[in-house]
Amino acid sequence: MSLLQQSRKFLTAFVLILVLTITTACGGNVTQVDRTTPPPGVGRDVTYSQLERGNTAAGQTFGDWVVQTSRGLVKDAYVRDNNKLGVVISPQVRPNEVRPLARSLVEGFRKNFPNQDLTVLVYAPDKQLILTARYDVQSRQIQYS
């Protein structure tokens, strides 16, 4: 692989991390909703479109933010229970860029939903799970699988 291609991949990952970090820092925190109370209207009669990005107001807001700020790298996102983020990446994300992207998403997710264990699920464009990143609040470490 040429130096130019390696530089381009590194620069893409770096720019994404920078954009997510700056936007998270400047955008303020999404308030966390009490997880013991189900959101109003969630039940058997709720359609998929009503739960598209999140099953809480804070999750919906964060899911929308991820898709809007990803500059086309994330095609779809959803947040469940304010501790699980799933993203569908676009075809332009190369395999060696998936882990840095997941790390950036964990960092942004952690800042908006602090003091809890978090999971980020990364899906390929065909919606097959390709990476799971688990953040442990006690150790402050991310485990990939």
Side-chain angles (χ1 to χ4, degrees), residues 43-110:
R44 288 180 285 192
D45 299 329
V46 176
T47 63
Y48 173 76
S49 63
Q50 292 171 305
L51 296 175
E52 199 167 339
R53 297 257 194 253
N55 64 349
T56 65
Q60 178 79 27
T61 301
F62 188 75
D64 289 339
W65 176 84
V66 167
V67 173
Q68 291 170 359
T69 59
S70 71
R71 299 184 185 226
L73 297 177
V74 175
K75 291 173 32 178
D76 197 10
Y78 68 88
V79 176
R80 295 295 179 262
D81 302 323
N82 293 338
N83 66 359
K84 184 180 288 183
L85 170 65
V87 296
V88 178
I89 59 173
S90 72
Q92 70 189 42
V93 178
R94 291 190 165 79
N96 63 337
E97 297 170 337
V98 173
R99 191 175 280 208
L101 174 61
R103 181 171 183 78
S104 297
L105 291 168
V106 167
E107 290 301 316
F109 200 30
R110 182 181 61 83

